[in-house]
Amino acid sequence: MQFPGRRKKLIGSSQNDLYDHCLQFYGQPPLENISLTEFETFAVERLKLLKTVENLGVSCVKNSEQYTKKLDAEISKFFFNKEDGISEYEKRRKDHISHFILRLAYCQTEDLRRWFIQQEMDLFRYRFNDLHSKHKTDFLHKNNLKYETVSAEEKKSLQDKLIASSYGLSGTKVEEHDVYKVPFQDALDLVRTRKVYLLAGNAYIPHHEIVTIVLNDFRTRLSKALAMTARSLPAVQSDERLQPLLSHLSHAYVGQDYSIQKNIGKISLEQIDALSGKSFPLCMRHLHKALRENHHLRHGGRMQYGLFLKGIGLSLEQALQFWRSEFVKGKVDADKFDKAYAYSVRHMFGKEGKRTDYTPYSCMKVILSNPPSQGDYHGCPFRHSDPELLKQKLQNYKVSPSGTNQILELVKGMHYQLACQKYFELTHNVEDAGFSLNHPNQYFTESQKLLSGGRDIKKEVDMSQRSQENPASVTRPSQANSKQAHEEMGDLDSFFQDE
Amino acid sequence: TAGAPSSAWACLPDLLPLYYRRLFPFSQYYRWLSYGGVSKNYFQNREFSFTLKDDIYVRYQSFTTQNELEKEMQKMVPYKIDIGAVYSHRPSQHNAVKSGTFQALEKELVFDIDMTDYDDVRRCCSAADICSKCWTLMTIAIRILDRALREDFGFHHLLWVYSGRRGVHCWVCDDAARKLSVAARSAVAEYLSLIKGGEETVRKVVLSDPIHPFINHSLSVVERYFCQYAIVEQDILGSKESVDKVLALLPEDILSFPVVLSQYQYFTSRYQYQSNFTILSEIMLQYCYPRLDVNVSKGVNHLLKSPFSIHPKTGRISVPIDLKELNTFDPFEVPTISLICEELERPRADEAEDDDVKDKENEQEAGERRRIRDYKRTSLAKYVKVFDRFLEAMARSRKGEMLQKSDLQKDF
């Protein structure tokens, strides 16, 4: 993508050819020139949309009524133009350009790429599913998605099996609609959740499920494209009109990832037991207790808990001492610890192997990846524990019966982070946690802040007011002065305080 | 319970060198990992890791020829051998490669079934112990997974191996399997997983209607073994404690049925009632269905214990399992290194003359021939045969593919 000056050039008659469908795979970058104003606005508004997609993804069941309503509203807001209505062409153009701008901001690190791909996929899935069946087929044809249809005889012979494997399939549907035979490698989401019939390495996909295949394709293409974008990024970043916006965009999402250790060494090992009861979120309290009781934790637990401890400020030496003293009480002798486990602790602190400084897991990561199995204590208790056992545990930790019920209700509604927030409120005896929980280390920091009386009530009020400003009003004239730009960019943060 | 006497450990320094000099089936091993030489440098770029005496662990071992592999193994005498991925460059030279370009490219799709993962549902043993009563779980696991990997996923070349102590491994060696991405491996493993939940989850299997054909197939395997395994051998209805564990899996309203739970009849009679079918299926699956560690199968660069390596704690050899004889496979009959070394020492009258003549020929060939004769004299022989058959099948299949390809290209 090129960013020459501010001259406008018209693409003209190729308008209709360019955007022949309301959805696209974003295969070709936009070739026109746009103003910096439009550049900013488009980027910021799409980012707001993607952030909503993310929030709705954890707080609602996808495709539930609530999810649909809210996402619909946000999408309409995105396409809304204050002038007299907006043409279909303009909508598609905005979609196209804003996507490509965000690629620039989100291609740089693995984490950013992963986040961007996840939200774009969720958005695409929603919009594709919303399409009329005819438009779906249209889209597939226009994008050369090849799939083999299953013959009528084969369909008949497999009918019962197809109905038993795929959601929403009936005998008539199998007869009347196409079923596609796709190599299982191209249908991984359906295979993973066992929502498809497999035979001899092929997945048999009914027409209405074809979106999953499309999504896989989307993900692969976007992933490759982002890698390529990252390589040409230095050229873009050297443009000083764009640099502040791009770096702020990617920073705005990430917020705090607790990778940079603050307060190293301010926590002593003796304090940990007490802290686990007062300031640890339930998942870490659970892991700590299991470690103390069994003098051992499996890999998943060591990673989740170990990185959390790093995030709260344990130094490498402290961590080694901590794990060693615990494991040695168990079946592991000091020698074996030094040989086998010490390596992995140092690895966590970036002192071995790839020397990546691993970041403590966010709630999303804990909830969504690596579910615990037999013998594991990691994961999110609100997500992974049996409700009965969770109830018992909360009662053991002296949470009131009414509080426990509130938490269980939230768990039922799959609002795991809200449930944890409620746990925070109940154990700290406050009405409102005052923050939107998305990271275990955030829980710890907020708890410590509260317990040491450091919370600034006035600041909270300011924040909530600013987030209610109309985002569209933040289109500013271009800045001549980069310092001024930087100050005004500060306002961007208010978009991303959770409402 | 399993395990050779602890003296096995003490003897390893003496037995291992003998094993690697005269018994380890190097030529079959090399044949396997070369995969017909179709891909250039496939063997050369394969990572091996060794655990040496005193627990010294070395990674990124690689070898350019079969001969080099033999020499190195005879020199280093590893206690444990793991096989990793085929990389973009020779693993032994990975430090010389520009950072970021050294990557794991391919590896067999593998599964590791470990008996400790069943501790919450077996009463006879726990942790590293196994016995004939709980070994049935491995039989069930192999039957279910083997069927699914072949029929559902279309794989053909599966090598099932006894780990040497408390479990089995499966190596899926098809071309397509070796090329699978991390996401694909993880998807296959999750498709095959039915047991969900850790310490905190009581009911680990939840089935919904309709039941997926894969689950039905798996259930029919479990049903075949359930009565003998769970009711008789594990005696899950035999004590209040274990009955309570079963009851904990039932929904509340069933508990109001007056039942006499110490009888096997409970299960068969209840089984007649369609509405309880799902619940009973869930219970059977929770007790018997294979438990996989998804993390083992996911990683392309994951290192797994090599077939024909020794298990240092038991002295047993990791031997291939012949699925045709699966019902009679007994882990306690698997030869130990001390046994086969002992068998090697037993003189055989008819051999004495042959040696002299053949030794005059090429030294290396004589050595190899001797080695082939050697393992044939021991209990290892039948397991190497299983491996041979596996390799033959792959060779035939490769030949078939090449003919197909050359037909398409009109190459004669």
Side-chain angles (χ1 to χ4, degrees):
Chain A
M1 197 174 174
Q2 290 175 319
F3 300 95
R6 296 169 60 190
R7 302 175 309 274
K8 276 215 166 168
K9 253 193 263 184
L10 276 179
I11 304 288
S13 61
S14 56
Q15 265 190 30
N16 290 323
D17 298 336
L18 198 55
Y19 302 125
D20 56 3
H21 197 288
C22 61
L23 266 198
Q24 57 167 296
F25 262 158
Y26 310 105
Q28 295 304 318
L31 294 173
E32 50 179 288
N33 299 332
I34 64 170
S35 68
L36 283 175
T37 311
E38 218 174 23
F39 186 88
E40 273 173 43
T41 318
F42 279 9
V44 163
E45 291 185 5
R46 192 182 189 90
L47 186 54
K48 189 152 201 294
L49 175 59
L50 292 186
K51 198 123 210 309
T52 307
V53 169
E54 177 191 31
N55 285 336
L56 290 178
V58 258
S59 55
C60 307
V61 179
K62 285 190 188 157
N63 303 321
S64 69
E65 217 187 285
Q66 197 186 24
Y67 182 85
T68 319
K69 229 169 63 159
K70 289 194 173 174
L71 192 47
D72 241 353
E74 200 62 40
I75 292 179
S76 308
K77 238 202 286 184
F78 175 73
F79 285 120
F80 175 67
N81 190 314
K82 281 210 293 192
E83 290 131 39
D84 316 294
I86 179 170
S87 73
E88 195 56 37
Y89 166 74
E90 314 237 295
K91 276 196 205 162
R92 298 177 188 188
R93 175 178 170 269
K94 182 174 185 181
D95 183 23
H96 186 206
I97 295 178
S98 60
H99 170 91
F100 272 89
I101 298 174
L102 286 189
R103 277 197 195 181
L104 296 172
Y106 284 85
C107 63
Q108 298 178 64
T109 70
E110 188 60 45
D111 274 341
L112 289 176
R113 286 200 284 262
R114 206 178 298 138
W115 183 87
F116 182 66
I117 292 175
Q118 181 65 50
Q119 311 323 321
E120 283 285 343
M121 274 181 54
D122 283 347
L123 179 63
F124 183 90
R125 182 192 293 117
Y126 177 79
R127 293 172 69 197
F128 184 86
N129 278 332
D130 213 27
L131 289 176
H132 193 268
S133 177
K134 178 181 176 307
H135 294 144
K136 278 189 188 141
T137 319
D138 244 359
F139 180 83
L140 296 170
H141 288 164
K142 290 202 162 92
N143 284 278
N144 286 323
L145 285 173
K146 298 188 168 77
Y147 40 72
E148 223 184 275
T149 51
V150 172
S151 71
E153 300 94 60
E154 202 182 355
K155 267 200 286 180
K156 189 108 208 248
S157 69
L158 294 175
Q159 186 164 310
D160 290 333
K161 301 208 163 104
L162 293 174
I163 296 174
S165 346
S166 296
Y167 180 73
L169 213 49
S170 67
T172 10
K173 277 202 188 155
V174 172
E175 258 185 68
E176 292 176 351
H177 296 279
D178 284 329
V179 174
Y180 305 104
K181 202 156 55 167
V182 167
F184 84 86
Q185 291 92 330
D186 292 343
L188 291 181
D189 280 341
L190 290 174
V191 171
R192 181 194 319 275
T193 50
R194 214 182 299 113
K195 291 207 164 88
V196 70
Y197 179 65
L198 282 189
L199 184 63
N202 286 315
Y204 285 67
I205 320 258
H207 179 93
H208 66 276
E209 296 252 323
I210 208 71
V211 67
T212 322
I213 311 304
V214 173
L215 273 179
N216 272 342
D217 207 274
F218 183 79
R219 186 206 279 119
T220 319
R221 293 185 199 205
L222 186 52
S223 193
K224 285 203 188 113
L226 283 177
M228 291 214 313
T229 311
R231 276 180 234 145
S232 40
L233 196 59
V236 175
Q237 281 185 322
S238 62
D239 187 327
E240 44 182 47
R241 299 167 297 172
L242 306 176
Q243 200 271 337
L245 174 70
L246 291 178
S247 74
H248 208 95
L249 278 175
S250 56
H251 188 75
Y253 136 69
V254 165
Q256 260 271 58
D257 64 358
Y258 301 93
S259 58
I260 300 169
Q261 278 193 293
K262 299 181 183 155
N263 309 317
I264 301 181
K266 291 240 179 91
I267 310 265
S268 78
L269 294 183
E270 293 75 46
Q271 291 175 289
I272 293 188
D273 279 325
L275 283 174
S276 77
K278 282 190 295 182
S279 291
F280 281 8
L282 197 58
C283 55
M284 302 303 173
R285 188 174 182 177
H286 184 51
L287 278 164
H288 180 74
K289 186 155 177 279
L291 176 63
R292 286 282 192 232
E293 277 172 18
N294 303 324
H295 308 299
H296 187 271
L297 275 183
R298 282 197 182 173
H299 184 258
R302 293 200 301 271
M303 287 301 282
Q304 186 176 323
Y305 188 38
L307 288 171
F308 170 77
L309 288 174
K310 184 174 88 150
I312 69 174
L314 238 59
S315 69
L316 173 59
E317 289 66 40
Q318 284 180 307
L320 283 168
Q321 199 188 332
F322 175 73
W323 290 100
R324 197 171 194 267
S325 69
E326 212 41 64
F327 272 58
V328 155
K329 286 185 206 148
K331 294 192 219 150
V332 176
D333 63 52
D335 232 12
K336 175 148 190 217
F337 178 84
D338 287 333
K339 283 187 182 143
Y341 296 101
Y343 177 91
S344 85
V345 178
R346 283 198 299 275
H347 205 266
M348 267 188 243
F349 278 76
K351 301 274 184 267
E352 296 282 359
K354 280 199 299 193
R355 317 237 160 196
T356 318
D357 210 4
Y358 289 95
T359 58
Y361 297 168
S362 64
C363 289
M364 286 270 271
K365 181 152 183 175
V366 171
I367 290 171
L368 295 174
S369 52
N370 196 19
S373 17
Q374 176 60 27
D376 287 324
Y377 294 89
H378 64 264
C380 172
F382 300 103
R383 163 76 179 85
H384 298 116
S385 282
D386 231 40
E388 269 312 302
L389 288 171
L390 180 61
K391 185 172 171 179
Q392 275 172 36
K393 192 178 297 171
L394 291 171
Q395 283 168 352
N396 282 342
Y397 292 154
K398 313 254 185 319
V399 175
S400 70
S402 68
T404 306
N405 283 335
Q406 285 180 342
I407 291 181
L408 291 175
E409 273 307 307
L410 287 167
V411 166
K412 218 160 141 202
M414 295 169 70
H415 305 301
Y416 309 116
Q417 285 152 273
L418 293 177
C420 193
Q421 238 172 268
K422 182 56 77 200
Y423 170 77
F424 180 96
E425 287 161 8
L426 294 164
T427 51
H428 290 74
N429 235 319
V430 291
E431 277 273 339
D432 183 353
F435 63 96
S436 200
L437 179 66
N438 52 39
H439 201 294
N441 286 89
Q442 177 194 23
Y443 184 110
F444 179 81
T445 313
E446 291 293 332
S447 168
Q448 287 287 288
K449 246 199 296 190
L450 189 62
L451 293 173
S452 63
R455 272 248 292 245
D456 190 352
I457 314 291
K458 181 166 188 298
K459 187 169 171 213
E460 285 167 36
V461 172
D462 277 346
M463 281 296 151
S464 64
Q465 278 182 342
R466 286 169 93 194
S467 70
Q468 279 156 23
E469 281 171 7
N470 185 345
S473 75
V474 187
T475 47
R476 296 177 288 283
S478 63
Q479 8 309 341
N481 177 331
S482 62
K483 178 173 183 281
Q484 188 189 4
H486 208 70
E487 280 166 4
E488 286 173 323
M489 290 301 158
D491 281 353
L492 268 180
D493 268 335
S494 66
F495 293 157
F496 307 113
Q497 295 295 334
D498 292 298
E499 284 100 79
Chain B
T1 48
S6 55
S7 59
W9 178 273
C11 297
L12 283 179
D14 299 316
L15 300 175
L16 281 173
L18 188 57
Y19 179 66
Y20 293 133
R21 249 193 5 259
R22 292 177 66 185
L23 293 162
F24 189 94
F26 282 107
S27 93
Q28 287 90 338
Y29 195 71
Y30 179 78
R31 199 176 154 205
W32 170 36
L33 295 174
S34 303
Y35 286 97
V38 173
S39 283
K40 218 173 126 194
N41 290 324
Y42 211 69
F43 182 81
Q44 289 74 5
N45 290 346
R46 172 79 72 163
E47 180 191 0
F48 295 85
S49 74
F50 291 159
T51 306
L52 310 175
K53 201 161 80 127
D54 298 329
D55 253 350
I56 299 174
Y57 182 64
V58 289
R59 266 193 79 174
Y60 301 112
Q61 303 300 296
S62 63
F63 312 98
T64 44
T65 59
Q66 175 184 334
N67 202 27
E68 193 187 322
L69 173 72
E70 289 183 39
K71 291 264 174 337
E72 286 304 305
M73 275 174 63
Q74 283 155 6
K75 191 168 86 184
M76 296 170 86
V77 191
Y79 275 44
K80 291 197 227 175
I81 304 172
D82 288 346
I83 301 179
V86 176
Y87 282 79
S88 52
H89 305 77
R90 289 191 197 171
S92 58
Q93 296 171 349
H94 73 284
N95 284 317
V97 174
K98 187 169 110 177
S99 121
T101 46
F102 179 69
Q103 293 187 7
L105 299 177
E106 297 190 13
K107 191 177 73 69
E108 295 75 9
L109 171 63
V110 294
F111 296 93
D112 180 351
I113 319 283
D114 187 329
M115 200 70 92
T116 24
D117 292 336
Y118 293 79
D119 279 356
D120 61 325
V121 289
R122 52 175 184 149
R123 298 178 66 203
C124 50
C125 310
S126 70
D129 297 328
I130 60 167
C131 71
S132 55
K133 291 197 202 138
C134 49
W135 185 259
T136 317
L137 289 170
M138 292 295 116
T139 310
I140 295 173
I142 295 176
R143 292 230 183 273
I144 290 179
L145 297 176
D146 194 74
R147 184 214 68 81
L149 289 167
R150 289 180 195 279
E151 292 178 13
D152 295 9
F153 288 98
F155 295 124
H156 302 290
H157 304 290
L158 276 61
L159 182 69
W160 284 95
V161 182
Y162 171 54
S163 75
R165 186 161 62 156
R166 61 185 195 222
V168 295
H169 300 155
C170 178
W171 295 76
V172 185
C173 299
D174 296 56
D175 254 11
R178 286 180 275 130
K179 294 181 156 70
L180 288 176
S181 65
V182 172
R185 287 163 204 259
S186 141
V188 173
E190 291 192 45
Y191 175 93
L192 298 170
S193 299
L194 278 181
I195 312 278
K196 306 265 157 90
E199 296 292 324
E200 298 296 294
T201 313
V202 175
R203 208 172 137 215
K204 296 192 165 84
V205 180
V206 180
L207 299 179
S208 52
D209 199 44
I211 298 195
H212 191 281
F214 164 77
I215 300 181
N216 272 326
H217 279 296
S218 309
L219 261 173
S220 56
V221 174
V222 169
E223 281 164 30
R224 277 200 333 253
Y225 290 90
F226 186 75
C227 175
Q228 177 62 20
Y229 167 73
I231 308 293
V232 176
E233 290 170 351
Q234 292 292 320
D235 198 20
I236 63 174
L237 298 178
S239 80
K240 181 171 191 312
E241 191 203 331
S242 58
V243 166
D244 282 345
K245 272 194 175 172
V246 177
L247 288 181
L249 302 175
L250 301 175
E252 311 229 322
D253 50 2
I254 289 220
L255 294 175
S256 64
F257 283 109
V259 286
V260 178
L261 285 171
S262 59
Q263 303 302 316
Y264 164 58
Q265 276 75 25
Y266 168 71
F267 269 84
T268 44
S269 64
R270 280 285 169 274
Y271 208 65
Q272 313 302 332
Y273 295 89
Q274 216 37 41
S275 61
N276 292 341
F277 176 75
T278 315
I279 296 153
L280 288 169
S281 303
E282 288 171 352
I283 295 177
M284 289 198 288
L285 291 171
Q286 181 151 338
Y287 276 85
C288 299
Y289 185 85
R291 294 161 183 226
L292 319 163
D293 185 351
V294 177
N295 291 317
V296 168
S297 308
K298 231 172 31 174
V300 179
N301 52 7
H302 187 97
L303 292 145
L304 186 64
K305 187 169 194 292
S306 169
F308 294 106
S309 63
I310 309 294
H311 197 298
K313 298 226 167 72
T314 59
R316 294 211 197 262
I317 315 221
S318 270
V319 293
I321 300 176
D322 185 356
L323 257 56
K324 293 202 222 64
E325 316 268 306
L326 184 58
N327 284 335
T328 51
F329 180 83
D330 181 356
F332 301 102
E333 288 299 303
V334 169
T336 57
I337 187 176
S338 25
L339 174 69
I340 58 176
C341 286
E342 195 197 322
E343 286 170 336
L344 199 57
E345 299 306 314
R346 289 192 214 131
R348 272 183 55 183
D350 50 343
E351 284 198 324
E353 300 97 52
D354 295 334
D355 278 348
D356 293 323
V357 175
K358 296 212 162 122
D359 276 349
K360 296 211 176 92
E361 297 170 29
N362 182 303
E363 187 63 37
Q364 186 187 17
E365 278 177 28
E368 191 157 319
R369 222 176 301 115
R370 190 184 307 127
R371 191 168 40 238
I372 293 173
R373 280 200 306 272
D374 280 346
Y375 78 69
K376 285 193 178 163
R377 287 158 55 185
T378 68
S379 311
L380 195 58
K382 79 170 185 179
Y383 299 100
V384 179
K385 252 208 201 112
V386 176
F387 194 49
D388 278 332
R389 273 184 254 132
F390 166 76
L391 295 174
E392 274 307 307
M394 281 209 294
R396 273 197 306 269
S397 155
R398 268 194 298 267
K399 206 160 153 199
E401 272 169 26
M402 286 198 324
L403 285 174
Q404 258 188 357
K405 248 197 228 165
S406 69
D407 278 350
L408 287 173
Q409 291 165 357
K410 309 275 188 253
D411 245 10
F412 295 111

